[in-house]
Amino acid sequence: MDPSSLERLREVLESGWIGLGPVTNQFEQELARSDLVGKYPVAVNSGTAALHLALVVADVPKGSAVIVPANTFVSTAAVALQHQCRVILADIERATGNIDLGSVREILEAEPDVSAILAVHYSGIPCDIAGLNELSKQHGVTVIEDCAHAIGSMWQGRPMSESPHIQAYSFHATKALAIGEGGCVTFPDAASAERAKRLRRLGIDMGARSWSNPYDIPELGFKYNMGDIAAAVGLAQLEGLREKLRKRRSIVRRYRERLAGAPVELVREPHDSDRSGGFAVPILVKDRERVRKELDAAGIESEIYFRPLGEFPLDATRPTPVAERFARDIICLPIHPLISLDEVDYVCDRLSGCVT
Ligand SMILES: *Cc1c(COP(=O)(O)O)cnc(C)c1O
């Protein structure tokens, strides 16, 4: 663990208070000052909790339907079910791995009870935020962004955090800002953030606290708050984040240069003014199982993001053929701030040797 994390942890552990308190508050203020997450951040104990709180605070009606892309982590759909909504899977674009707005439009025209779209910036590749906005206005539905991969991403030359939608971020161990477990949900307005701050801690409101009344609960919430131990690690991680994101970008660039002539499809941003934060380096290949085994034999670890949600028991019936094909062809190549460009070259050489 880096010295800064240890130093900040020591301060919290020696302070006499390790729960939700001043350090979580400071972490939120630092997040708000950065342009790395949306406007009014509320720190919680996971990205999944952030997504669920987003649905609650957006007042997505229970019993309605929520559109979720098939190419995402199971959390994105699980929170809709937890909120007592029906999940409708949208198909994806093969080029970006992101939700296909054509598929979304079809669903909106066929299903009158849709109230929200949970859009995922797959691998940090920005979704078409303007297109989503337009559809949401036409059909009166809420857009919530799953930004679990999207720290450091840019959409049309602007930080993704400037989007007008509610956004959910994850600080899980595998993400760019890694606390271990944690997340935050951000809102375009302060009032929603205040409500989320109550709801993340069972709905407790200490505003009218008195000798005989410890607290009120105007609206019952959840046990989702972050604590100061996690926030201390978060503050330290945030300090080094820009440098790490730069490193991720240089790795992504190197992969793209080196694989430009190889028979692989690079999953990537649709426009030059868009930028992935470099959460993963997804490529599509023929004969994925063989290629992945050959990489493994060369000592190269790869990942599969994601199994398509249609394969899980979510009671989601719409077919998503593009997502299924994508999931059969996908390989996510190694990326981490500690990987050297020489190691990237090694991966590319071995990969080029085994793809056809
Ligand atoms: C990691 C992840 C989440 C959930 O985050 P947790 O912090 O693990 O709860 C949600 N959506 C996507 C796309 C993710 O990758």
Side-chain angles (χ1 to χ4, degrees):
M1 192 176 262
D2 62 284
S4 163
S5 290
L6 287 173
E7 194 44 48
R8 285 180 182 276
L9 269 176
R10 172 187 292 279
E11 275 173 36
V12 171
L13 294 173
E14 289 178 350
S15 74
W17 179 251
I18 58 173
L20 169 63
V23 184
T24 306
N25 194 17
Q26 191 191 344
F27 180 44
E28 284 170 342
Q29 283 173 6
E30 295 291 331
L31 283 171
R33 248 196 294 277
S34 80
D35 59 2
L36 294 165
V37 307
K39 210 166 174 198
Y40 294 97
V42 177
V44 291
N45 55 15
S46 75
T48 309
L51 282 165
H52 183 218
L53 260 190
L55 287 170
V56 174
V57 175
D59 289 320
V60 169
K62 297 195 171 171
S64 66
V66 173
I67 298 177
V68 176
N71 183 37
T72 182
F73 187 53
V74 65
S75 295
T76 323
V79 294
L81 295 177
Q82 194 181 341
H83 192 60
Q84 294 165 41
C85 288
R86 184 163 67 94
V87 171
I88 303 179
L89 293 182
D91 212 348
I92 61 158
E93 308 168 330
R94 185 171 171 90
T96 63
N98 278 334
I99 195 163
D100 177 351
L101 293 196
S103 173
V104 172
R105 187 175 297 109
E106 252 175 50
I107 295 168
L108 287 170
E109 281 164 6
E111 310 266 3
D113 61 338
V114 174
S115 60
I117 306 167
L118 274 175
V120 181
H121 304 294
Y122 171 70
S123 176
I125 297 166
C127 291
D128 177 359
I129 292 170
L132 281 167
N133 231 343
E134 202 173 304
L135 274 177
S136 81
K137 292 219 169 80
Q138 274 168 13
H139 293 267
V141 299
T142 303
V143 176
I144 291 166
E145 296 175 29
D146 181 337
C147 291
H149 302 173
I151 277 200
S153 295
M154 311 270 281
W155 178 71
Q156 297 196 343
R158 307 294 310 160
M160 187 86 91
S161 53
E162 290 183 11
S163 148
H165 305 128
I166 299 178
Q167 297 183 321
Y169 294 81
S170 167
F171 305 143
H172 180 256
T174 56
K175 307 290 157 65
L177 196 167
I179 293 182
E181 300 291 351
C184 80
V185 51
T186 70
F187 299 92
D189 64 295
S192 294
E194 280 312 308
R195 186 173 162 212
K197 279 186 182 172
R198 280 196 306 276
L199 291 176
R200 75 173 164 185
R201 204 166 77 87
L202 279 319
I204 288 173
D205 182 353
M206 311 266 270
R209 183 178 166 83
S210 67
W211 179 255
S212 57
N213 175 28
Y215 51 78
D216 292 318
I217 299 186
E219 181 186 14
L220 188 60
F222 313 90
K223 179 59 189 175
Y224 281 169
N225 63 274
M226 184 175 278
D228 281 7
I229 291 178
V233 179
L235 274 170
Q237 289 285 315
L238 189 55
E239 272 171 24
L241 185 57
R242 281 184 203 281
E243 187 49 40
K244 285 185 178 152
L245 288 170
R246 260 196 294 282
K247 189 74 202 294
R248 280 181 183 269
R249 273 307 293 171
S250 71
I251 293 169
V252 169
R253 262 201 310 278
R254 184 71 151 226
Y255 270 119
R256 287 177 180 175
E257 284 161 19
R258 295 290 311 256
L259 294 176
V264 301
E265 291 172 62
L266 297 166
V267 180
R268 57 171 300 162
E269 310 86 322
H271 310 106
D272 286 342
S273 57
D274 294 342
R275 197 180 79 183
S276 150
F279 168 75
V281 183
I283 61 167
L284 301 167
V285 297
K286 276 187 279 192
D287 203 3
R288 192 268 308 276
E289 287 313 301
R290 181 186 54 77
V291 172
R292 196 154 175 251
K293 279 190 190 131
E294 288 189 30
L295 290 178
D296 190 58
I300 298 164
E301 272 183 49
S302 61
E303 265 301 337
I304 297 175
Y305 301 131
F306 289 100
R307 261 184 80 180
L309 291 187
E311 293 182 357
F312 298 112
L314 303 166
D315 286 327
T317 49
R318 260 183 112 82
T320 54
V322 181
E324 273 153 43
R325 181 75 245 176
F326 187 95
R328 282 200 293 278
D329 298 345
I330 190 76
I331 298 181
C332 291
L333 299 173
I335 183 165
H336 187 276
L338 299 178
I339 291 178
S340 72
L341 294 183
D342 285 348
E343 286 170 314
V344 172
D345 291 349
Y346 172 75
V347 175
C348 293
D349 289 344
R350 302 304 297 243
L351 179 67
S352 300
C354 65
V355 287
T356 50

